[in-house]
Amino acid sequence: MKLNHQAQLLAVAIVTLIATVFVLDYYGYLRHSNESDAMYMAEFSLIANVPGQDQYVSHIPAKKRARCIDHYLVLESTETAGAVGLLVDRKQRPVRCEFNGEL
């Protein structure tokens, strides 16, 4: 195979790859994420109950509401309608919860 044929083969392969990506995108087979897919609602921290240590929290409640859905803790915003997200830790593992019927 001559050098000219190798260059042509490489060019055809690159053009074919680019054309394939454009066609897949045109027909909707490629999914592009948007900002609502990776919505970051807020950062939370845990206040541990340590005997003898003073704990201070604000008297103003957060603008989030937590619910237990299918044994997972789900947060929803009280400000933005439809803003719902699964609570996960730093390693993207969902936080489980148990609902025993008592409030």
Side-chain angles (χ1 to χ4, degrees):
M1 193 180 272
K2 292 183 182 179
L3 181 63
N4 191 20
H5 287 302
Q6 289 178 348
Q8 288 175 349
L9 185 63
L10 183 62
V12 168
I14 291 173
V15 169
T16 303
L17 180 67
I18 293 171
T20 302
V21 170
F22 280 122
V23 168
L24 288 173
D25 186 42
Y26 178 77
Y27 285 107
Y29 288 106
L30 297 181
R31 185 175 180 272
H32 300 283
S33 63
N34 53 23
E35 289 183 20
S36 64
D37 290 339
M39 183 176 57
Y40 183 78
M41 291 181 76
E43 185 174 327
F44 296 93
S45 60
L46 178 70
I47 297 177
N49 189 10
V50 179
Q53 184 179 357
D54 292 334
Q55 303 290 337
Y56 299 101
V57 294
S58 174
H59 67 283
I60 301 170
K63 296 183 179 179
K64 310 284 184 278
R65 182 180 307 128
R67 295 191 310 165
C68 189
I69 300 177
D70 293 333
H71 301 288
Y72 291 105
L73 192 58
V74 176
L75 291 178
E76 59 185 12
S77 175
T78 58
E79 297 177 314
T80 309
V84 179
L86 182 66
L87 186 65
V88 295
D89 64 2
R90 287 185 180 180
K91 295 183 179 181
Q92 300 299 315
R93 297 176 297 196
V95 176
R96 294 185 56 85
C97 64
E98 293 182 16
F99 180 72
N100 58 7
E102 298 176 15
L103 294 176

